[in-house]
């Protein structure tokens, strides 16, 4: 033992050692069978002191369903997929136990764990959210199809709706931005709060999982639009007008939450997420006429109303024709196709992204981080995307470059952990 280590070790208290274990995974202290941790578990009623003034900013982590699915959209997202580097199910269990504890704390505006006051150790929390309110932070976990391969003995538990995402017409999917064993969606009303959460989850995963892809996104902030009107995407159109009302339990059951008819019982309270990173050809779009832009979507740009109507929330009424007998909303427009005759619905929760400049072309590298939730992607997202990929007028201006399908786990009850119904 060299001198330096010796001195450091002398200065470590028993509590410090426990905390050190917490850095690499609180789960080191957690038996496979339960949550007997040495740390006080945060409860839902404990937002941090800094956050006390803004309790409305706090979205409880524990619950029947994970937050971040039917939760009204926050302003920012940090999303990442991880690949597991361990092949031990016990390690995976520990990882989810550690992530659960850390997530419950961070969503309450607390650091990832209690700080060790020992200058010889790295701080437990990375610190950039010290003093910040929870800012409606939500953290949502999902599992990709690859999670159910031979590594963890869970093959037989793979839900039938978690199929491999098919290849769609004109896809230009980059595997470096796609799939992954685990997806983590972090949303918050502050970009630093979101970044902090993702960074600390990646830190906790060390030795068990590594980042596979990561993408940040945004929409207009609530302070820029206090009226809370429908946000616009980077093509300038209101995006989200005809999205199901997620707060209506009947609709959510019908569209979002896994159902025992298709999904195993461990998925009760879970859902499936489809992710598509969609690059926009912004420069080409900017050169097209307003008329062409509106015909592409089938809606007016300013009001968001269906073509020929004046109210944003007016019915599409796809059958309407102009005086020459031509459909007012072109049958190959985005809304005409995505409407699916009103028979197939998904819950969209997408964010714009900008990754700066594409150095190869000198163009802006931006688009839509498309995210949607559905009860069974085989009957909802996939047929819808098949239809859009084959005929949508919008395809002239977009390219799908990343892709993923994930089973979002049910919520955890206090004392439990995300994934406990499966592991
Ligand atoms: C960059 C890509 C995309 C853009 C810019 C975009 C934009 C829009 C816009 C402006 C609307 C009309 C307003 C609204 O109701 O929200 C809309 C509607 C819709 N979009 Fe997209 N979208 C994109 C990709 C997708 C994808 C990949 C899907 C699903 C596979 C999808 C599904 C829908 C649905 C279901 C509607 C509502 C249709 C209805 O009125 O019933 N969109 N989208």
């Amino acid at each position: 033992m060299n001198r330096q280590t010796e001195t450091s070790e002398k200065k470590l208290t028993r509590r410090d050692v426990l905390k050190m274990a917490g850095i690499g995974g609180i789960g080191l202290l957690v038996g496979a069978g339960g949550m007997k941790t040495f740390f006080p578990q945060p409860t839902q009623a404990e937002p941090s002191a800094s956050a006390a003034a803004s309790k409305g900013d706090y979205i409880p982590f524990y619950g029947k369903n994970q937050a971040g699915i039917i939760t009204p959209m926050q302003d920012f997202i940090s999303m990442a997929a991880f690949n597991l580097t361990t092949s031990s199910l016990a390690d995976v269990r520990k990882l989810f136990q550690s992530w659960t504890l850390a997530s419950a704390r961070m969503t309450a505006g607390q650091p990832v764990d209690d700080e060790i006051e020992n200058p010889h150790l790295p701080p437990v929390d990375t610190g950039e959210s010290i003093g910040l309110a929870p800012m409606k932070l939500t953290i949502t976990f999902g599992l990709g199809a690859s999670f159910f391969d031979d590594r963890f003995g869970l093959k037989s538990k793979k839900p039938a709706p978690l199929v491999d995402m098919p290849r769609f017409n004109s896809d230009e999917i980059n595997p470096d931005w796609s799939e992954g064993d685990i997806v983590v969606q972090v949303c918050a009303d502050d970009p630093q709060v979101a970044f902090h959460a993702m960074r600390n989850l990646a830190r906790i995963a060390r030795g068990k999982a590594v980042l596979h892809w990561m993408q940040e996104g945004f929409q207009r902030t609530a302070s820029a639009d206090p009226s809370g009107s429908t946000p616009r995407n980077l093509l300038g159109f209101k995006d989200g007008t005809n999205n199901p009302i997620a707060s209506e339990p009947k609709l959510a059951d019908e569209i979002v939450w896994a159902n025992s008819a298709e999904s195993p019982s461990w998925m009760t309270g879970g859902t499936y997420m489809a992710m598509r990173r969609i690059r926009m050809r912004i420069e080409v779009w900017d050169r097209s006429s307003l008329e062409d832009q509106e015909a592409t979507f089938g809606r007016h740009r300013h009001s968001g109303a269906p073509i020929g109507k004046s109210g944003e929330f007016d019915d599409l009424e796809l059958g309407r024709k102009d005086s020459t007998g031509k459909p007012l909303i072109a049958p190959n427009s985005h809304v005409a196709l995505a409407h699916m005759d009103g028979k197939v619905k998904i819950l969209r929760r997408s964010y714009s992204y900008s990754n700066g400049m594409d150095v190869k072309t000198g163009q802006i590298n931006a688009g839509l981080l498309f995210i949607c939730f559905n009860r069974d992607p085989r009957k909802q997202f996939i047929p819808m995307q098949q239809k859009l990929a084959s005929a949508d007028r919008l395809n002239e201006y977009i390219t799908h470059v990343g892709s993923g399908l994930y089973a979002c786990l049910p919520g955890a009850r206090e004392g439990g952990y995300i994934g406990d119904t499966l592991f």
Side-chain angles (χ1 to χ4, degrees):
M1 189 188 294
N2 67 33
R3 257 190 97 135
Q4 165 119 29
T5 335
E6 196 178 8
T7 348
S8 301
E9 284 208 350
K10 273 193 189 142
K11 287 183 178 164
L12 295 182
T13 63
R14 180 174 164 276
R15 186 169 167 76
D16 290 348
V17 176
L18 295 176
K19 294 295 173 187
M20 276 174 81
I23 300 168
I26 296 161
L28 283 174
L29 307 171
V30 181
M35 300 293 287
K36 294 179 207 83
T37 80
F38 291 78
F39 317 138
Q41 281 187 47
T43 65
Q44 296 193 347
E46 276 181 42
S48 70
S50 66
S54 51
K55 275 196 179 139
D57 278 350
Y58 166 55
I59 299 178
F61 179 75
Y62 294 110
K64 182 173 163 234
N65 311 117
Q66 290 195 75
I69 296 168
I70 60 167
T71 309
M73 281 178 71
Q74 301 93 320
D75 296 338
F76 300 96
I77 186 169
S78 172
M79 192 158 171
F82 289 84
N83 281 336
L84 289 155
T85 49
T86 174
S87 48
S88 140
L89 181 59
D91 275 353
V92 175
R93 201 179 282 127
K94 282 177 198 158
L95 175 61
F96 274 92
Q97 288 167 339
S98 308
W99 270 351
T100 301
L101 290 179
S103 300
R105 289 185 63 106
M106 291 191 288
T107 51
Q110 297 167 347
V112 72
D113 201 353
D114 292 338
E115 206 46 77
I116 309 169
E117 274 157 32
N118 188 316
H120 300 277
L121 291 175
V124 173
D125 187 283
T126 54
E128 68 271 35
S129 69
I130 293 172
L132 302 183
M135 300 308 286
K136 298 201 177 121
L137 174 69
T138 58
I139 303 172
T140 316
F141 297 94
L143 305 174
S146 58
F147 185 88
F148 295 89
D149 64 13
D150 295 324
R151 286 169 293 173
F152 310 108
L154 294 173
K155 216 169 185 171
S156 63
K157 296 209 172 175
K158 185 178 169 194
L162 186 62
V163 290
D164 289 336
M165 189 75 101
R167 276 283 156 140
F168 301 100
N169 230 5
S170 68
D171 268 4
E172 287 183 27
I173 302 300
N174 182 341
D176 292 345
W177 301 335
S178 303
E179 315 297 346
D181 293 336
I182 300 170
V183 76
V184 183
Q185 176 199 266
V186 172
C187 298
D189 277 346
D190 181 274
Q192 188 144 325
V193 166
F195 177 86
H196 167 263
M198 186 60 86
R199 174 184 181 184
N200 281 275
L201 294 174
R203 200 172 177 226
I204 287 168
R206 256 175 224 166
K208 299 189 181 75
V210 291
L211 279 168
H212 169 51
W213 59 259
M214 190 165 168
Q215 180 63 58
E216 286 170 340
F218 59 92
Q219 57 166 342
R220 55 96 184 97
T221 59
S223 48
D225 180 11
S227 71
S229 62
T230 312
R232 290 177 188 273
N233 58 40
L234 298 183
L235 301 182
F237 279 66
K238 286 174 181 275
D239 198 333
T241 304
N242 212 352
N243 213 12
I245 301 160
S247 54
E248 233 179 77
K250 210 170 148 254
L251 271 184
D253 280 344
E254 219 173 89
I255 297 166
V256 178
W257 301 123
N259 188 297
S260 59
E262 304 105 8
S263 290
S265 57
W266 67 261
M267 270 296 284
T268 305
T271 179
Y272 300 89
M273 174 206 282
M275 180 286 300
R276 305 286 285 179
R277 189 194 290 218
I278 307 175
R279 169 91 187 262
M280 289 171 173
R281 281 191 276 280
I282 284 188
E283 287 82 357
V284 181
W285 180 259
D286 292 348
R287 287 194 296 269
S288 65
S289 68
L290 177 61
E291 200 177 18
D292 186 48
Q293 293 187 358
E294 294 191 331
T296 299
F297 281 115
R299 285 184 176 271
H300 291 297
R301 186 172 97 137
H302 187 73
S303 61
I307 300 284
K309 298 206 173 189
S310 56
E312 182 191 348
F313 297 99
D314 288 350
D315 249 19
L316 286 179
E317 268 191 279
L318 290 172
R320 287 174 301 126
K321 303 209 161 90
D322 66 13
S323 54
T324 67
K326 218 173 99 199
L328 274 169
I329 296 183
N332 63 350
S333 66
H334 183 67
V335 295
L337 292 167
H339 190 61
M340 302 288 282
D341 303 319
K343 291 189 187 118
V344 177
K345 293 193 189 299
I346 54 174
L347 178 67
R348 288 171 287 147
R349 211 175 182 283
S350 315
Y351 287 84
S352 298
Y353 74 83
S354 165
N355 291 341
M357 194 187 86
D358 184 335
V359 282
K360 281 196 228 125
T361 60
Q363 294 186 323
I364 296 174
N365 182 358
L368 188 73
L369 180 58
F370 174 90
I371 296 164
C372 78
F373 296 99
N374 51 170
R375 200 181 109 183
D376 187 345
R378 295 170 303 174
K379 298 179 193 150
Q380 294 167 270
F381 172 77
I382 291 172
M384 187 179 282
Q385 178 52 26
Q386 256 149 0
K387 201 166 175 184
L388 291 176
S390 65
D392 192 354
R393 266 180 92 143
L394 185 58
N395 294 340
E396 200 183 324
Y397 305 101
I398 59 171
T399 310
H400 288 233
V401 294
S403 177
L405 194 61
Y406 309 95
C408 292
L409 294 152
R413 65 191 194 294
E414 268 179 74
Y417 63 93
I418 296 289
D420 57 6
T421 56
L422 172 64
F423 309 135

